[in-house]
Every structure is written in structure tokens, then in C-alpha cells.
Amino acid sequence: MSSPPAARGAGAILTIDLDAIAANYRTLRDRLDGAACAAVVKADAYGLGVEAVAPALHKAGCRRFFVALLDEAIVLRRCLPDAEIFVIIGLLPGTAPAFREHRLVPVLNDLGQIEEWRRGCADSGSLPAALHIDTGMNRLGLGPEDSARLIAEPERLAGIDLCCVMSHLIHAEAADDPLNQTQLARFAAIRDRLPAAPGSLANSSGVFLGPAFHLDLARPGAALYGVNPIPGAPNPMRNVVRLTARIVQLRDVDSPMTVGYGATHKVVNKGKIATISIGYADGYLRSTSGRGSCLVGGVRVPMVGRVSMDLITVDVSNVPSQNLEPGGFAEILGDDFGVDDLARESGTIGYEILTALGRRHHRRYVGA
Ligand SMILES: *Cc1c(COP(=O)(O)O)cnc(C)c1O
């Protein structure tokens, strides 16, 4: 496997398949039977690069985008002049003018944010906003007391163009958790008593909970990028990322040698270690120490010893020597071993693997 010239100085090559992201968008949208499908592109499109990913999603037909922060929205506005952009964390004090300037839609999370937006609307005419109702996460959005006050005092919304009322599911990836139905019922009860507006509840996994959860607008993020929205069942999404890292050294080892920091790996039999240029500074989590794996010369091999900042060590004793060469590549992520698989070995979730993907990798976009 040879590397393109631009990648010669990089330790690892991250390939992001924009066609796969577009295909995943269409797969999700096609499950919605007419409800609209937004795309969540917060945290730099889950680490994959919003400036490449968002235009690819737009080309696939997506017109509504969610980010977490105002700063993310301003970057996104430069890529997508005509999309509808929602800011989940909403209207922090003093930010209303920036929302207006960049034509952004704040997600209003408490009565104070509602009041601030209403005052902003008073001098610029009716402006769109979304309203976030907390139906059990107890994290963001109007809690039961705020919701009750808003229902009792609907004039608090006067002048606001309420374009979406949303809530967020706590445990949508567990289809049989009764919390899903509880949240759906709580959300319906509150929406019924608020001014009519399109409803939005489903994240990626929520799309797979059935039509009752689709409402008017779904907000998938992770599934667009290949994370399995239905853990335990075959992944309906296409794989998006491939990550290969360079083999920088090969060495023969034998007992009683040890490998890596802390001498945590004790060599028992004569064998071979490959040193690979990826480490925790690249998002290969240190918690993967002693339990990771990767693909070398067509063989899945165990990572041994600790993950260090720039390097990992793998036991390649079982790889035929004609398949091993310094300067060759190990596959860390690919079609047969995706972000959810690495997450399992690292004790985390695919979301964190994606968002941790390093800025030091040579990045290549294919497709779109
Ligand atoms: C991140 C986020 C989403 C997307 O969730 P996924 O599980 O990645 O699909 C949807 N809605 C809100 C409010 C979010 O914060």
C-alpha cells in the first residue's frame, strides 16, 4: 500500500467518504415517510470536518442543520448561505445580534432566553426560534416548571416565529426502554398546550423507534457518520471513515523483555513487535492500552502495552513476514472494523472515537 506524496510526512491517513455520508442521509430520510430530516453537524461534524461534510449533505438534499454553538453556526453559515441553521445551546447572553446577523435559529432553553429573543424580535420583526422542552434528560431545555409557566403565559412567545418545538431522547438506542414512550407522551402533552409548531424528537436511534417518534423533523447525527443507531442489530449505515497508520519499526523480542511505558506487557515467547505511528494525541484513546487491535498484513493483531502519545505497539508474531514492511500501513478503522468496534475495545462509544479523531492525521475526502 503506497501513500500519496502529500501524506509522506504524516503518521496516519484518515479517509472520509462523503458519498457514504450522503447515502446514510438518504437512508435515514427514506425511513421517515415524509417527515423532514435535518443533519446534526456539531463538533465539526463529529470530528469529520464540517466544511466538507455539510456541503455534501446539502447536495444530498438536506436543508436543516443543527450545531451546538454559535461559533460553529457562523462557520457553517459561510459554507451554506441558504440553509436553516439551529444552535442547540441557544442564546447565550448578548449573542442575539450575532444570531440575527448570520440568520441563525436559536434553540431557546429557558424563559430567560425566550425573553431575550422576544426583545430582539421587537425591533426587527418576527424572528424564527426553536423551543427545547426537557422531557426527562434534566440537562437542557425548559423543565416542568418553566413549561408550565409558558403554557400559563403564552404571551411570553408573542412576536417569536416558533418554527420548531423539540425534545431530546435519553435512551433511544434501547428500543425496549419504557423511557422512550414516557418521553413521547410527556412531549405530546406539552406540545398540545403550546402554540402549534412543527415537532422534533428523534436523534439517530430515534429514527428507528417507529413513526410515532418521527413527528415533523428528525435530527440524526452519529448515524450519518457510520455509528450503528441500533446496537446489537446489523448496522444499517454505511461505513464512513478509514484510518491507516504507518508501521515505523519492526523488532524481534523474546522473554524476559517488556514493551512500552510501565513495562506492562511482558513478552512470553519469541515474537515480533510492530511500532505504529498513532497515539493518544491522535485520538487513539489511552484507555485502549492492552486491549486494542488492528489489521496488519491482512491479520487482526493485538495491541500490546500502553498507548503512548504518538505510538502504539502491536504483536505481529502471527503475520507472515512477507506481509510486513516498515513504511507499510496498519488499518486502525475500516469497513470491517468501524468506530463502534474500536469503541468497544476502548471502553467508550463510537461518538467519542469520531470526535477524538486527530487533527494530525493526513485527511483525504473521497466522493461528492
Ligand atoms: C447531538 C444531538 C442530536 C444528534 O444525536 P445523535 O445521537 O448523534 O443522532 C440530536 N439532538 C440534539 C439536541 C443533540 O444534542
Side-chain angles (χ1 to χ4, degrees), residues 13-26 45-49 52-57 59-60 221-227 237-243 333-335 339 354 357 362-368:
I13 300 175
L14 177 64
T15 306
I16 296 160
D17 186 343
L18 297 173
D19 284 343
I21 295 176
N24 288 340
Y25 176 75
R26 288 189 291 267
Y46 290 51
L48 300 186
V53 168
L57 286 163
K59 203 170 151 200
L224 295 168
Y225 314 113
V227 171
M237 313 318 298
R238 264 176 63 180
N239 182 53
V240 169
V241 295
R242 178 154 192 267
L243 178 61
L333 290 168
D335 287 346
V339 289
L354 282 172
L357 284 170
H362 176 74
R363 286 181 174 227
R364 290 174 48 212
Y365 291 93
V366 297

Side-chain angles (χ1 to χ4, degrees), residues 249-296:
Q249 275 200 344
L250 291 162
R251 67 185 60 241
D252 296 314
V253 291
D254 200 352
S255 173
M257 293 175 177
T258 65
V259 178
Y261 282 121
T264 56
H265 178 71
K266 295 176 176 43
V267 177
V268 179
N269 298 310
K270 203 165 159 29
K272 203 181 274 292
I273 297 289
T275 303
I276 295 174
S277 67
I278 190 167
Y280 60 75
D282 302 298
Y284 195 95
L285 304 181
R286 191 168 176 278
S287 56
T288 322
S289 294
R291 53 187 184 153
S293 70
C294 64
L295 203 61
V296 176

Side-chain angles (χ1 to χ4, degrees), residues 113-200:
Q113 292 188 357
I114 293 174
E115 181 53 25
E116 182 154 352
W117 196 239
R118 205 171 63 83
R119 266 191 266 115
C121 291
D123 44 65
S124 359
S126 177
L127 292 170
L131 189 64
H132 188 162
I133 306 296
D134 191 326
T135 52
M137 181 89 86
N138 292 312
R139 187 185 68 164
L140 195 63
L142 275 76
E145 283 178 22
D146 276 359
S147 294
R149 270 195 71 189
L150 189 62
I151 288 164
E153 301 164 12
E155 63 278 7
R156 286 175 178 275
L157 291 168
I160 295 176
D161 168 16
L162 197 58
C163 65
C164 178
V165 178
M166 57 180 262
S167 190
H168 195 39
L169 294 166
I170 301 168
H171 203 194
E173 66 278 17
D176 55 356
D177 190 328
L179 273 173
N180 294 315
Q181 294 298 335
T182 303
Q183 285 192 273
L184 182 64
R186 282 184 191 150
F187 190 44
I190 293 173
R191 272 185 76 210
D192 279 351
R193 299 163 70 195
L194 286 171
S200 176

Side-chain angles (χ1 to χ4, degrees), residues 21 25 37-42 45 49-67 71-86 101-105 224-225:
I21 295 176
Y25 176 75
C37 191
V40 181
V41 294
K42 61 193 179 190
V50 73
E51 285 158 285
V53 168
L57 286 163
H58 190 269
K59 203 170 151 200
C62 183
R63 293 294 177 268
R64 294 190 182 88
F65 293 81
F66 284 78
V67 291
D71 283 354
E72 295 177 328
I74 292 171
V75 170
L76 183 57
R77 174 55 79 212
R78 283 202 291 272
C79 313
L80 300 178
D82 63 353
E84 196 172 1
I85 302 176
F86 294 83
E101 180 189 341
H102 299 282
R103 295 171 286 118
L104 307 171
V105 183
L224 295 168
Y225 314 113

